[in-house]
């Protein structure tokens, strides 16, 4: 059974810092991995999608990497801003349509 | 980009009443939609998978008679919480998948049962 963990559970950084969020999964047979952002009381916004054949994806200040063999993905946020404060979740999808979410990392970027 | 619309965003109801939540894919056909429940500061918990034209598949521990799901068209799935009780108070989120690609989420519904 696939299990997804995220480290750290919470992170507080000053504005302008570069930071890395980690996502680990136990079964490397994944179809893709997706990173989401969730603001309090809101739905999820998709940030980046990495297919199993890809190593990384970039969007603006965000870069996500995938290492299937080690069961890891990282989300790198460059030059963090207070507006980046949110909970970040990763989710892995298997070759069916089964998604498993991590518990999330709560990020606070202090002005 | 693809958009999933969820309505209502917030609902307060009395215990014993039923509440319907709608989830619509606005610019793509979603053969599969998912319904999740989220408790404060916890991750999403999948409740059921909804396939257009067939019965929903419920996760273990989720009462199908309590949480009725109808996926009547390729753009609409509904979740009805029947005879709601305070313990059903939660944040409910739907999502839809465009064939082979990303999972798109609705904005969520905060249900409060008094």
């Amino acid at each position: 059974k696939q299990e997804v963990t995220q480290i750290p559970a919470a992170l507080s950084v000053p504005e302008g810092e570069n930071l890395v969020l980690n996502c680990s999964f136990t079964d490397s047979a994944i179809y893709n991995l997706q990173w989401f952002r969730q603001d309090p009381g809101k739905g999820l916004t998709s940030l980046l999608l990495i297919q199993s054949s890809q190593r990384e994806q970039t969007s603006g200040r965000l870069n996500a990497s995938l290492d299937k063999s080690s069961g890891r993905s990282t989300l790198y946020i460059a030059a963090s801003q207070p507006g980046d404060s949110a909970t970040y979740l990763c989710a892995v999808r298997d070759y069916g349509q089964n998604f498993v979410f991590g518990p999330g990392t709560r990020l606070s970027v202090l002005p | 980009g693809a958009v999933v619309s969820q309505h209502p965003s917030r609902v307060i109801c009395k215990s014993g009443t039923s509440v319907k939540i709608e989830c619509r894919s606005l610019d793509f056909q979603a053969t599969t939609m998912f319904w999740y429940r989220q408790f404060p500061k916890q991750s999403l918990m999948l409740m059921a998978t909804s396939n257009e034209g067939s019965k929903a598949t419920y996760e273990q521990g989720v009462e199908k008679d309590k949480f009725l799901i109808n996926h009547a068209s390729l753009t609409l799935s509904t979740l009805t919480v029947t005879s709601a009780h305070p313990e059903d108070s939660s944040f409910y989120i739907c999502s839809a998948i465009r064939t082979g690609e990303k999972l798109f989420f609705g904005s969520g519904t905060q249900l409060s049962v008094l």
Side-chain angles (χ1 to χ4, degrees), chain A residues 31 34 36 38 41-44 46 49 51 89 93 97 101-103, chain B residues 32 34 36 38 43-44 91 93 97 100-103 105-108:
Chain A
Y31 182 72
Q34 200 166 347
F36 298 90
Q38 185 177 26
K42 304 291 186 182
L44 277 72
S46 177
L49 170 70
Q51 302 291 353
L89 296 99
R93 177 189 167 184
Q97 290 192 125
F101 285 82
Chain B
T32 303
F34 305 89
Y36 301 85
Q38 187 177 36
S43 190
L44 300 173
F91 191 59
I93 307 177
I97 186 166
E101 299 301 330
K102 287 183 182 180
L103 193 61
F105 283 83
S107 56

Side-chain angles (χ1 to χ4, degrees), chain B residues 45-59:
Chain B
M45 181 187 77
L46 179 65
M47 298 175 65
T49 301
S50 167
N51 294 294
E52 187 267 337
S54 63
K55 291 184 179 180
T57 302
Y58 290 82
E59 295 300 300

Side-chain angles (χ1 to χ4, degrees), chain B residues 3-112:
Chain B
V3 177
V4 174
S5 174
Q6 186 173 341
H7 179 80
S9 59
R10 181 177 295 274
V11 59
I12 302 172
C13 69
K14 293 182 179 180
S15 184
T17 60
S18 295
V19 175
K20 179 184 283 188
I21 303 170
E22 292 188 349
C23 181
R24 295 180 183 271
S25 57
L26 297 184
D27 60 356
F28 67 98
Q29 293 183 331
T31 54
T32 303
M33 290 186 174
F34 305 89
W35 287 95
Y36 301 85
R37 184 174 182 175
Q38 187 177 36
F39 292 102
K41 297 186 178 181
Q42 295 188 26
S43 190
L44 300 173
M45 181 187 77
L46 179 65
M47 298 175 65
T49 301
S50 167
N51 294 294
E52 187 267 337
S54 63
K55 291 184 179 180
T57 302
Y58 290 82
E59 295 300 300
Q60 191 173 10
V62 178
E63 300 176 60
K64 60 180 181 181
D65 295 330
K66 173 76 170 176
F67 300 99
L68 300 179
I69 292 173
N70 185 2
H71 195 156
S73 74
L74 287 171
T75 59
L76 174 65
S77 177
T78 60
L79 168 67
T80 301
V81 183
T82 62
S83 187
H85 287 92
E87 59 266 29
D88 298 323
S89 298
S90 186
F91 191 59
Y92 294 87
I93 307 177
C94 71
S95 68
I97 186 166
R98 193 165 58 184
T99 304
E101 299 301 330
K102 287 183 182 180
L103 193 61
F104 294 94
F105 283 83
S107 56
T109 298
Q110 182 64 53
L111 171 64
S112 300

Side-chain angles (χ1 to χ4, degrees), chain A residues 9-54:
Chain A
L11 180 63
S12 184
V13 300
E15 182 177 5
E17 271 202 10
N18 302 324
L19 56 99
V20 175
L21 308 181
N22 298 289
C23 172
S24 298
F25 46 95
T26 56
D27 186 347
S28 62
I30 66 170
Y31 182 72
N32 63 37
L33 183 146
Q34 200 166 347
W35 282 92
F36 298 90
R37 166 189 175 136
Q38 185 177 26
D39 294 284
K42 304 291 186 182
L44 277 72
T45 301
S46 177
L47 298 175
L48 290 165
L49 170 70
I50 311 178
Q51 302 291 353
S52 63
S53 59
Q54 297 175 322

